[in-house]
Amino acid sequence: MKIIPSLALFAALSLPAADFLATHRPSFWHGAEFPGATGTLSVAEGVLTLKYDFSKGGHYVAAHFPLPERPVARTLSLEASFDTSTELTLRVTDATGQAFQQRLSGAPGDWSRLELPVDGSWPGCWGGAGDHVLHQPIRQFEVLAENLTPDHMGGAAGELRVRNIAFSADAPARAEAGLPLSGVPFADLVRRATAARDALQRTVPALEAKGLGAKSRATLATLDHFLPWILEDVARGFTNRAEREARELASLGEKGARRAQDVLDGRAPDFPVPHFRTSKIDISHAQMVADRVWPDGRVDRGPVFLTGYGHFGTVQRNLHQLPPLGNHILQMEIGPNGAVREDGSVNTNHFRSFFDTAARAAAANVQVTLLLSPHYFPDWAFRKWPHLKDCAGGFFKQCVYAPEARAVEERYLRALIPLIRGNPALHSVCLSNEPETHVYAKCPVLRREWPKWLARRHGTVAAFNAKMKTDFPSFADVPMPENFRNNPRSPVLAEFARFNQEMFADWHRWMADLVHELAPELPVHAKIMINPCQWDGNATFYSVDPARFGALSQYNGNDAYCNYRPGAGWGWIHDWTLMEAGYDWQRSVADLPVFNTENHIQPDRSKGYLPGIHTYATLWQNAIHGQSATTLWCWERAYDSGKSDFNGLILERPEAFEAWAHAALDLSRLADVLAPIQNLPPSVLLFWSADAILRGETKAGAFHRAYRAANFLGQPLGVATPDMLASGRLDRPLDRARVILLPDVSAIPADVQAGLDRFVAKGGQVLPVDTARERELAVRLCDLSKGWSLPDLPVARECDSERTAWGVETRGFRKGGASYISICSHLRAPKKVRLESAGVDLITGLPVPAVLEVAPLRPLLVRLDAR
């Protein structure tokens, strides 16, 4: 039984904004566990000012507020102002000493208001009870300024200001918009959801008889899945989760039942949806082309979107449940551990799970992408060759370069690949899981190859020293970093990262070549973490170059995330930048479909509300930026009180579950219209150089600020790297680019400058940009773009000017006299925009006026009236 304090008690324990800074004295902490940060703290005229200096490293500085009154709070609100060199992090400590932390990046500069739920949904959690459940009351509150480039010297200095801090007993205004009041009894919610299911069970067959009802079938499947799960939650004592699920289920079920009846009665539009049929898949630019079966039995061949789930036994057992949800792919894994024996023989029974799954999958029109999981390495090999543990990285516990390790992997692949080759359910193989390398100097192979690589690249040590401004007596004397932490930026560090990336990509190429020796037609890819590829101070940045991985793959494989940001009135509503920029980067270096085999739409273990619109918008925007296949993390439910990564995922979230299915169905139905958007050649390129970042000549944050500013021009974006420019190869899909932006770059190498000069000689423009003020940069780019001879594409504009709309992303094309435009707002509040004409939204079938209010995270695909 839940005991809910009275409202009077809540009110007594709230901390109003007007009194907080006047009655609470903060203390300063410089994050000494990560040495280097300095700063100061002051409070004056109702404003907390937290100054920070990360020029000598460090991770954060903090203002600590003990809360002796122990408030019971459901909402934290405040106003903050900071520049683009840091992020605001908030931390609360509950009654057990368990800390919950939420990092926020928003609109910098002016004062912005933030409102957050105080519950177990904050992604950071440690200490205390360790159960990821926030135990009231709150005993401590902290405000942190975090270093955007931790583990490196030369970070930023600045200040973060906060005012109007308040804890409230009331729920956040937008925390659960659209859901029934929490006071509705649980039994009533279950009855409402059950009644909605019964109504849909009557209506859906009638719709399907007309070739309609795909989304209604997915809603019915959501109800059928979750109603038993809710009762199991109650039986196991997970009552809070059951109540949230029941509220979501009652709401979406009633809405779905009304819509289905309206469609049946002719009051609402609906559309036939094709489904993937097991068939040969061809790759064409961003698309996969395969057989599609329509409700009337017609079969054609065209672009398909394969969405689905990973990654373990539960989804394999339940794969027949995927197609009604618009999902036609899963990822599973097999590794050499259990297959390769110490005597060199191979236990092929270890592969039986694949064949069992694949047989059922082919019959159900579900594809399987098989993760080869080289990190599942046999224990006997470590006992036999202890030196294999001398270096490791992420999931890899063995030195992947050691000949003994390669021999084990080769035995495994030579036994597996011929057996699975040609299986009709086999979509592709994924070479590795979240690959990265961590410990460098202990690896004997890297130590041996490093001087050889330097000699091949620079010729003589004298030439190397002149370029690096060093005085090493020989290449053998050039040190390697111990790991990716706390390395001063220098040209030598940039050289090492390039060497490490080449070595790691070459190992993956060895695997890919071996697979293709045995099965030339089998597509390969790797699950590189594309988000951390874009910021330094982590192992992925040092070890993964997307261009090198794209060159050895048939899909742009990745693992990426886009998290929803709860609260109101603060910056972006979700983490769109890294995912979209990463996809555009991969599509720039390899004209192949993006395949995200571990798609994260919220942090593991999160407990707060996840709106369906975030799930839908994330999958939609993935597709707009070139994703044609994805498996979501992950088809699992957990009952271990928050201990495993399976907690908080989509099988606990009916609204998100339904939205994933609805988005998958809409993508399948609209694939022919979306394909030209996916294939739009970038007209604006952004310069990205890992070398320049590690030399201290630019920062990753500058690239992302420029990307956001350019994103709202309504033009497709791409990435230009130093290797591309130096080689002169801005070929497809970059051959239509009109301008290259250089974000805060202080130095350009001669060979790169020569490439920029060639680009200008062919009629392009090169524009250095200052990214300190992102909104001002967006306005400047919009004004300058009028002289760039950009393609004539449909865009959304501000209602009071000819500038493109800030915060509302558009991508579109014109063909055969018609214009199409995808629209999605990343803002927290609705925004009015102006289109060139009225039209119709192909997602809903409803008319769209020329001036419309775009809601956050509700994509539209508009066919505009003829101009």
Side-chain angles (χ1 to χ4, degrees), residues 159-482:
E159 67 179 30
L160 181 155
R161 297 181 296 157
V162 175
R163 69 187 183 192
N164 292 334
I165 301 169
F167 286 93
S168 169
D170 298 324
R174 294 170 60 87
E176 297 189 351
L179 293 176
L181 296 175
S182 58
V184 176
F186 175 77
D188 288 350
L189 295 170
V190 175
R191 279 193 292 270
R192 286 167 51 189
T194 303
R197 180 191 60 185
D198 294 344
L200 282 166
Q201 283 178 329
R202 294 188 297 268
T203 311
V204 168
L207 290 173
E208 291 176 334
K210 297 183 176 184
L212 306 174
K215 284 187 174 180
S216 298
R217 171 62 70 181
T219 300
L220 176 58
T222 303
L223 290 156
D224 284 338
H225 280 296
F226 275 89
L227 280 168
W229 288 340
I230 289 173
L231 299 180
E232 183 179 8
D233 281 349
V234 173
R236 289 173 175 257
F238 287 76
T239 54
N240 286 343
R241 186 166 84 184
E243 182 183 1
R244 176 175 53 76
E245 291 171 331
R247 282 187 284 122
E248 292 187 27
L249 209 59
S251 177
L252 70 87
E254 290 172 342
K255 180 181 177 181
R258 288 193 301 270
R259 179 183 179 278
Q261 190 62 52
D262 286 345
V263 172
L264 191 61
D265 294 341
R267 294 190 298 268
D270 202 13
F271 310 95
V273 176
H275 281 264
F276 166 81
R277 185 177 74 171
T278 298
S279 57
K280 182 179 184 295
I281 297 175
D282 295 315
I283 298 172
S284 176
H285 305 299
Q287 282 76 55
M288 298 177 298
V289 178
D291 289 356
R292 307 179 296 190
V293 181
W294 294 81
D296 61 3
R298 176 172 52 96
V299 178
D300 69 1
R301 191 163 179 84
V304 295
F305 287 93
L306 294 181
T307 62
Y309 287 87
H311 294 81
F312 308 106
T314 306
V315 73
Q316 295 168 45
R317 291 189 297 272
N318 297 338
L319 66 86
H320 61 284
Q321 299 172 351
L322 298 183
L325 299 164
N327 294 308
H328 291 273
I329 194 167
L330 64 87
Q331 182 174 74
M332 62 176 295
E333 58 182 354
I334 300 174
N337 188 23
V340 181
R341 301 187 180 102
E342 188 169 2
D343 64 3
S345 63
V346 176
N347 173 23
T348 56
N349 285 333
H350 185 64
F351 308 147
R352 183 175 298 167
S353 62
F354 169 79
F355 292 105
D356 291 345
T357 300
R360 292 183 294 111
N365 297 310
V366 171
Q367 292 283 279
V368 177
T369 178
L370 180 62
L371 175 59
L372 298 177
S373 296
H375 62 282
Y376 290 146
F377 203 71
D379 290 337
W380 63 259
F382 289 118
R383 293 191 299 270
K384 186 173 182 179
W385 302 301
H387 65 275
L388 293 183
K389 291 187 176 182
D390 287 348
C391 59
F395 282 88
F396 292 116
K397 306 307 177 190
Q398 77 276 21
C399 176
V400 296
Y401 305 116
E404 300 89 345
R406 285 201 184 202
V408 171
E409 300 289 353
E410 184 168 356
R411 283 195 205 102
Y412 162 59
L413 293 177
R414 289 194 179 278
L416 173 66
I417 299 303
L419 293 177
I420 65 174
R421 177 185 181 182
N423 191 295
L426 182 60
H427 174 273
S428 58
V429 293
C430 186
L431 300 175
S432 63
N433 184 67
E434 300 180 4
E436 59 185 17
T437 58
H438 282 189
V439 182
Y440 312 121
K442 292 182 180 179
C443 178
V445 178
L446 289 180
R447 284 203 311 270
R448 183 176 66 247
E449 294 300 320
W450 170 232
K452 298 178 184 178
W453 183 88
L454 290 173
R456 288 194 301 271
R457 180 165 164 80
H458 296 280
T460 66
V461 71
F464 172 80
N465 283 330
K467 189 172 183 179
M468 301 292 117
K469 297 181 172 56
T470 55
D471 57 357
F472 295 108
S474 71
F475 287 127
D477 294 304
V478 181
M480 295 194 308
E482 289 287 333

Side-chain angles (χ1 to χ4, degrees), residues 737-750:
R738 308 296 174 86
V739 64
I740 298 176
L741 305 180
L742 306 178
D744 296 345
V745 180
S746 63
I748 298 291

Side-chain angles (χ1 to χ4, degrees), residues 695-714:
R695 289 194 299 260
E697 296 165 356
T698 188
K699 295 182 179 179
F703 170 84
H704 294 120
R705 290 189 291 273
Y707 180 89
R708 286 190 292 269
N711 185 59
F712 303 115
L713 291 172

Side-chain angles (χ1 to χ4, degrees), residues 671-732:
D672 292 312
V673 179
L674 290 169
I677 295 178
Q678 291 186 305
N679 290 338
L680 284 171
S683 49
V684 178
L685 305 182
L686 291 96
F687 180 67
W688 166 268
S689 172
D691 291 351
I693 292 170
L694 294 177
R695 289 194 299 260
E697 296 165 356
T698 188
K699 295 182 179 179
F703 170 84
H704 294 120
R705 290 189 291 273
Y707 180 89
R708 286 190 292 269
N711 185 59
F712 303 115
L713 291 172
Q715 295 285 332
L717 305 182
V719 171
T721 66
D723 288 347
M724 291 177 180
L725 293 166
S727 66
R729 294 200 58 187
L730 288 180
D731 49 9
R732 183 182 174 93

